[in-house]
Amino acid sequence: MGFASGTMTEAMDSLSTSDHASVVSITLFVTLLCACIVIGHLLEENRWMNESITALIIGVGTGVVILLLSGGKSSHLMVFSEDLFFIYLLPPIIFNAGFQVKKKQFFRNFMTITLFGALGTLISFIIISLGAIAFFKKMDVGLAIADYLAIGAIFAATDSVCTLQVLNQDETPLLYSLVFGEGVVNDATSVVLFNAVQNFDLSRFSTRGVFELLGNFIYLFISSTVLGVVAGLLSAYVIKKLYFGRHSTDREVAIMMLMAYLSYMLAELFYLSGILTVFFCGIVMSHYTWHNVTENSRVTTKHTFATLSFVAEIFIFLYVGMDALDIEKWRVVSDSPKTSIAVSATLLGLVLAGRAAFVFPLSFLSNLTKKSQNEKISFKQQVTIWWAGLMRGAVSMALAYNQFTKAGHTQERGNALLITSTITVVLFSTVVFGLMTKPLVRFLMPSTDKLTSMISSESLTPKSFIVPLLGDSHDSEAELFIGNGVNSEAREVCRPPSIRSLLTTRTVHYYWRKFDNSFMKQVFGGRGFVPYVPGSPTERSVHNLQEEPKQ
């Protein structure tokens, strides 16, 4: 009995020590997050810095301090977990990206975005994988074929989070749309490729197996998108029919957040791409669900989603910076620093080549399908797209940890080489390429006057260009007919200048909006639908809007 009592006391002491260590770690992380926000605010107008780079530098600095205090034993407070990243941190970032995106610009360039994000990522994957096989075998890194294919998927993933902070949606709308859209589709494609490679049986490699892999990829892509759309429509229908806001706006906010997260977890449960699912769920929710809640809930959800995404982004870059100095991984490769540098340089070169191999050829193909010169992607814009997508970040880190470590640790030389090289590439590309992107954009992009003329030629009204997605950024009736901003009185006279314009304007966009207004919004709500909440500001504003035409 005394022995059992002593064992229980020791267990309680150990648990208490563990809890205290967790409290210390969380306290320090929250403090660092606050510091990143404050410093990022102070550097808001800096032409070089952005919050991703700030968080990375603070993370590295904190890692150095912890490394010194621990006597060279450890540089971070938490063990990196892929589950922490993929289940808790990534969903709010991707969902908010879909929720806040300007849908008009995104879907207007949807084919080009899909071309870059899906086919481009596949091309980059092939080039990086083949390059890794060719170079790393000469360096005697000691990896299997499956590892080389995994390297291709890992480094084909661009860092859309950092890229979005570098480009400006208002200054360069076309570039922002292309890079942002490609980044989201690219992340999803890389994760799908990574999972497909892990499940691919290399011992039975054949032409049929390659087609099965391609078919599986297409299935995952389509089914993930459909699941996200269905989840978004379901949330819109439930909120529209049940009127949660009549009793509590808290329930509206809660059901929106939980339905969004449920879509991601359902995708993971069915082995689909959670990134694609939650992204399209965000787009559908912003188009239908967001307009079905009360005015207070709209303000709350908009800022809640943005805040969760913002904190998750900073947390990821902060941790990546701290983990860069993990002494255990560097100790394994300390006996061959030249090999480590050569592997990192090779990976960086393959990233540069892999991205160039699809950006310029696919831009050329995209330009062939566009008749107007203003719609085509210029060479300077192509260079900017190529450069802005060179940064590697949290997705690459998470996939690398998943492939080459167990619980964040590894003692195998080849695996340690790849982990340390991934950290080096992520740090170098984010800091160096990230610092140079803003000046590069300002150097390559046209002057303000020319930019204004480009904006007007792209059928963007001043309101749709300036007001965010959640404002009145929808197409006017005239734009549905002729696509060039002509007022409603002129639409009876004007005609599409060609058969191509007739097909693209009247068939795709025009008929979708007609179907959306006549059927989808009738069932799922959306813009124009306002839930009846007695005595609410929304009710009064709606009555005022309804009375205005009568006056």
Side-chain angles (χ1 to χ4, degrees), residues 56 80 82 85-86 89-90 93 154 157-162 187 312-313 315-320 391-401 422 426 430:
L56 268 176
F80 185 86
E82 299 85 44
F85 174 75
F86 281 109
L89 297 177
L90 192 59
I93 296 174
I154 290 168
T158 62
D159 180 19
S160 58
V161 173
C162 189
D187 285 347
E313 291 172 14
F315 184 93
I316 290 171
F317 283 103
L318 186 63
Y319 185 86
V320 168
M391 289 171 279
R392 296 297 178 265
V395 174
S396 296
M397 286 285 294
L399 294 179
Y401 274 94
T422 302
V426 168
T430 303

Side-chain angles (χ1 to χ4, degrees), residues 71-146:
K73 295 180 180 179
S74 177
S75 65
H76 54 80
L77 302 172
M78 301 179 184
V79 176
F80 185 86
S81 170
E82 299 85 44
D83 291 339
L84 172 67
F85 174 75
F86 281 109
I87 296 180
Y88 300 109
L89 297 177
L90 192 59
I93 296 174
I94 302 300
F95 175 80
N96 186 65
F99 194 75
Q100 302 283 3
V101 67
K102 294 184 178 180
K103 296 190 294 295
K104 175 193 279 187
Q105 192 73 13
F106 177 80
F107 284 105
R108 195 171 185 193
N109 301 294
F110 186 74
M111 292 307 298
T112 305
I113 288 171
T114 305
L115 200 64
F116 282 176
L119 181 60
T121 304
L122 191 61
I123 294 172
S124 181
F125 161 77
I126 293 172
I127 290 177
I128 294 175
S129 297
L130 294 178
I133 294 173
F135 290 107
F136 291 168
K137 282 191 174 181
K138 296 179 180 179
M139 299 179 190
D140 193 25
V141 176
L143 298 175
I145 295 295

Side-chain angles (χ1 to χ4, degrees), residues 95 99 235-236 239 244 250-263 281-282 285-286 288-294 297-298 300-302 305:
F95 175 80
F99 194 75
S235 69
I239 291 179
F244 288 98
D250 295 339
R251 292 174 184 169
E252 285 186 320
V253 176
I255 198 69
M256 280 190 70
M257 295 177 65
L258 292 175
M259 288 290 287
Y261 190 64
L262 179 62
S263 70
C281 180
M285 276 193 170
S286 71
Y288 297 107
T289 313
W290 189 79
H291 296 280
N292 296 346
V293 299
T294 59
S297 296
R298 291 177 191 176
T300 303
T301 51
K302 177 182 177 181
F305 292 141

Side-chain angles (χ1 to χ4, degrees), residues 472-501:
D472 300 331
S473 59
H474 299 269
D475 297 308
S476 66
E477 192 71 16
E479 286 174 317
L480 297 180
F481 280 88
I482 56 178
N484 61 0
V486 178
N487 57 36
S488 58
E489 289 80 3
R491 70 172 181 267
E492 297 296 335
V493 179
C494 296
R495 294 289 182 271
S498 65
I499 296 297
R500 179 182 175 277
S501 299

Side-chain angles (χ1 to χ4, degrees), residues 481-540:
F481 280 88
I482 56 178
N484 61 0
V486 178
N487 57 36
S488 58
E489 289 80 3
R491 70 172 181 267
E492 297 296 335
V493 179
C494 296
R495 294 289 182 271
S498 65
I499 296 297
R500 179 182 175 277
S501 299
L502 176 67
L503 291 174
T504 55
T505 305
R506 296 296 296 270
T507 303
V508 180
H509 197 186
Y510 171 76
Y511 285 112
W512 158 248
R513 291 302 300 274
K514 286 295 184 183
F515 173 73
D516 186 34
N517 292 329
S518 62
F519 175 75
M520 296 295 288
K521 288 184 178 178
Q522 299 298 321
V523 177
F524 300 105
R527 189 167 182 242
F529 175 83
V530 180
Y532 178 76
V533 182
S536 69
T538 303
E539 181 200 10
R540 292 193 295 271

